[in-house]
Amino acid sequence: VKPNQSGDFIGDLEQGGSCNVPVASLDIHCTGTHTECVGHIKSSGIVILDVCPTGFIPATLVSINPIPANETSEKYHAPLNSDDFVITRKLLMEKINGKNRDGLIIRSLPNGENKKSRNYDKNPTPFLTHDAVDYILEMGVQHLLVDLPSIDKADDGGQLGNHHRFFENGKTISELLYIPDSVKDGEGFLQIQIPNWGLDAAPSRPIFYST
């Protein structure tokens, strides 16, 4: 964030300006909670405003403890390393039944507050297997929310395989959430709040109301 400057004017009270006029620059996908659509990975002409619901949708919140990738036979399109952790179809099935739902929120464990400022370049993060994404779609989920930087491995060669897989039948993915422990697992209603931006993604403020 920098103050607006024009001629002798500077939009910063602390620098002698008559008012604050901050100019904000934002990397939507890499700096905080955001919601994206198929326009993120395809030249579809679709923007996030086209597919992000404005009202409340039924949703389920589940907490999942990812497992080492070498402990599952589930598939992924890129090579898996010994230090990779994944969220699998089996883990999801243990937490939720297969009934239809519009929204699914996944909280990864452990759930430390350092997620709010973690450097994910230095701290590799879990991601979903293809089988997990397929199960999510089988439940009819249209809006998937995770507290991870991505549903894909950080470096999958630029393929974004899970994104392509989900967006074939899903509408939005929200990433980089932080879900406090005070919000309990279970059923509820979700509202995904975004600004009126006609882009592939927008900063978002998902709110979950437990029932």
Side-chain angles (χ1 to χ4, degrees), residues 90-165:
K90 182 179 179 182
L91 291 172
L92 289 170
M93 291 181 70
E94 290 171 355
K95 290 283 186 172
I96 48 180
N97 58 39
K99 75 175 184 179
N100 286 356
R101 66 204 73 224
D102 288 339
L104 177 64
I105 309 160
I106 299 176
R107 171 169 46 198
S108 62
L109 301 175
N111 191 44
E113 286 200 12
N114 64 351
K115 286 180 180 177
K116 296 178 181 179
S117 58
R118 184 177 297 166
N119 184 333
Y120 284 104
D121 288 333
K122 297 180 180 179
N123 298 276
T125 183
F127 51 95
L128 277 64
T129 64
H130 286 335
D131 304 75
V133 175
D134 290 346
Y135 181 61
I136 289 166
L137 289 169
E138 287 168 17
M139 289 188 290
V141 171
Q142 296 292 294
H143 307 284
L144 174 61
L145 299 88
V146 297
D147 63 357
L148 311 169
S150 177
I151 64 171
D152 274 297
K153 186 176 179 177
D155 182 6
D156 72 343
Q159 298 180 66
L160 293 175
N162 278 341
H163 282 73
H164 283 272
R165 207 174 191 94

Side-chain angles (χ1 to χ4, degrees), residues 43-82:
S43 298
S44 61
I46 295 174
V47 297
I48 190 61
L49 288 173
D50 296 330
V51 292
C52 189
T54 57
F56 294 93
I57 61 171
T60 302
L61 168 63
V62 294
S63 296
I64 301 289
N65 203 337
I67 61 171
N70 60 12
E71 292 184 8
T72 180
S73 60
E74 295 189 17
K75 305 300 182 184
Y76 192 68
H77 61 276
L80 299 176
N81 303 322
S82 59

